[in-house]
Amino acid sequence: MSTLAAQLDQLRGDAPATRHNARTIAALTANPGCARRALLDAAAVDKTVIAQSLGFPPQFGQSQFAITRGNAFEAMVKANGCAELLALLRDKLGLTIPEVAYHDLNSVGENTGNAVRHQRTRQLLKASIAAGDGTLFDHPMLRLDIAGAAAYLEPDVVAVQLDGKFHVVEIKAFPVIDGQADPAQVAAAARQSAVYVIALRELMTEIGESPELVSHNVILVCAKNFTNRPTAELVDLRKQLAVVSRQLTRLTAIPELLDLLPPAASFAPGEDLEKTIAAIPARYAPECMSSCELAFACRDEARTCGSVDALGRGVCDEVGGIDNIHTVLGLADGTLEPGPEHADITAMLRTAHRLRLEIAG
């Protein structure tokens, strides 16, 4: 075990490790400046337990009903060697698929370990490229470096050699009604799928193949209208791929973040947990409320210290360079004099303050 992995295991303590998935990575890349989330995720800590221990339990998440329905829908689409999926690819998307092999990679023999499944995925993908055949891989195991720590990921399906390209297949149970789906759900699925595409392209590079073998289009399978029957669409991910790739490069390296912690620090619930969490810088924004379990704790912290971050990124951009609400208010009402670097911002703040007084007055 590497020194970094040992340090992260020590931080987690006796608690079982949680795993990254595409949703958590997509959320992490949406706020790459948050060192707190980066380190907690790298240590595979259950952030819900941390938030509850701090007295700020999260108030979002999928219902058990939605999870059960999603699992049942995926199982139906992939039943009998993905027969339903193959019919969709041929009939709905018009892809030429003669004969297709099927590999179930949920386990290798009886071994369900991530490393073993990842190695088997590499072997089978390389063999499929050499043979030039069509193959469906059920839950292949991919790997992606997240700020210096390896994260294992498993897309629903990878379809090989469809029109000469590998395609990630993402299966979601939300409905497509009269050809239209909820834009927010489609956007979330696209961001998650982009993470899978990046990880699959990384694997291609590792085995000496071109990452361009992986299509920038994801095959999104959803429920049709109000039925449980599936429909499929190709979704172009080029925009999402560019954004996620750029954000991944901006994530702070995990070894540097470990240096911020006191000796013998632990994320296990206890009297020192609050001090340990406080030692890691957070970058709270209102958008965190829908994607991070620690959002309520970080919001309370931001409000207490008067951080401009609590007002949202739009405000932060407008008052760039000023990170404290009290400083902003002081510059606006004239009780503080600006330095040369804040002259332009102060003029804008004082104009806004004067207009507000006139409207109120």
Side-chain angles (χ1 to χ4, degrees):
M1 181 182 293
S2 69
T3 302
L4 175 60
Q7 287 178 289
L8 294 174
D9 284 347
Q10 179 181 331
L11 278 174
R12 192 174 60 252
D14 296 331
T18 61
R19 271 185 40 200
H20 263 303
N21 55 42
R23 181 188 65 82
T24 64
I25 293 175
L28 180 60
T29 58
N31 191 3
C34 185
R36 181 172 297 170
R37 173 156 190 161
L39 185 51
L40 287 168
D41 281 349
V45 175
D46 188 335
K47 294 190 295 298
T48 297
V49 173
I50 298 289
Q52 291 170 339
S53 299
L54 295 175
F56 295 94
Q59 299 181 23
F60 73 93
Q62 263 191 312
S63 69
Q64 190 58 49
F65 172 78
I67 293 172
T68 301
R69 182 174 184 273
N71 290 340
F73 182 72
E74 179 181 337
M76 183 268 293
V77 171
K78 296 198 297 189
N80 302 315
C82 291
E84 191 83 41
L85 175 60
L86 284 171
L88 281 174
L89 299 181
R90 291 186 177 114
D91 301 337
K92 181 69 169 63
L93 300 183
L95 295 172
T96 303
I97 309 173
E99 293 187 11
V100 175
Y102 171 80
H103 290 288
D104 185 348
L105 284 163
N106 284 283
S107 64
V108 179
E110 296 184 357
N111 194 324
T112 59
N114 294 339
V116 172
R117 291 173 60 198
H118 176 67
Q119 184 61 30
R120 183 58 175 160
T121 299
R122 286 166 53 106
Q123 293 171 349
L124 290 175
L125 285 174
K126 193 169 183 65
S128 181
I129 294 170
D133 59 6
T135 307
L136 294 177
F137 294 95
D138 186 348
H139 282 284
M141 184 61 71
L142 310 177
R143 189 170 62 191
L144 191 62
D145 182 86
I146 304 297
Y152 287 96
L153 307 166
E154 47 183 321
D156 293 329
V157 176
V158 167
V160 180
Q161 300 298 342
L162 301 180
D163 291 345
K165 294 279 189 177
F166 289 74
H167 288 72
V168 169
V169 179
E170 184 70 358
I171 302 171
K172 297 290 186 183
F174 61 78
V176 176
I177 301 171
D178 293 332
Q180 299 293 320
D182 178 7
Q185 291 181 307
V186 173
R191 287 192 299 270
Q192 293 172 25
S193 299
V195 175
Y196 292 136
V197 170
I198 291 170
L200 185 55
R201 287 179 172 177
E202 288 285 330
L203 186 148
M204 291 296 166
T205 302
E206 291 174 9
I207 63 176
E209 301 290 345
S210 170
E212 295 305 314
L213 284 173
V214 182
S215 174
H216 60 258
N217 291 320
V218 65
I219 298 170
L220 181 60
V221 179
C222 300
K224 185 176 182 179
N225 296 326
F226 297 101
T227 70
N228 205 36
R229 303 307 306 164
T231 186
E233 296 290 343
L234 283 175
V235 179
D236 189 332
L237 298 180
R238 279 176 287 192
K239 179 181 177 181
Q240 289 83 1
L241 288 169
V243 171
V244 174
S245 295
R246 183 173 64 252
Q247 300 293 57
L248 284 173
T249 63
R250 294 175 57 196
L251 293 175
T252 305
I254 297 303
E256 296 174 11
L257 298 182
L258 289 171
D259 292 339
L260 300 173
L261 296 176
S266 172
F267 291 137
E271 59 182 21
D272 293 330
L273 177 60
E274 186 172 351
K275 186 185 300 182
T276 300
I277 295 297
I280 312 167
R283 184 173 181 253
Y284 170 77
E287 293 88 343
C288 298
M289 300 298 287
S290 63
S291 60
C292 183
E293 295 85 346
L294 286 172
F296 284 92
C298 294
R299 182 181 67 175
D300 182 75
E301 180 183 77
R303 286 174 171 175
T304 301
C305 68
S307 171
V308 174
D309 289 341
L311 302 180
R313 290 173 191 165
V315 175
C316 292
D317 291 342
E318 290 292 334
V319 297
I322 305 174
D323 57 10
N324 188 275
I325 294 173
H326 302 296
T327 302
V328 172
L329 295 176
L331 292 173
D333 63 18
T335 56
L336 288 178
E337 287 301 319
E341 72 277 14
H342 294 148
D344 292 342
I345 295 173
T346 300
M348 178 270 291
L349 289 172
R350 290 184 178 174
T351 298
H353 180 66
R354 175 177 54 80
L355 292 173
R356 180 177 178 277
L357 292 178
E358 291 175 359
I359 293 170

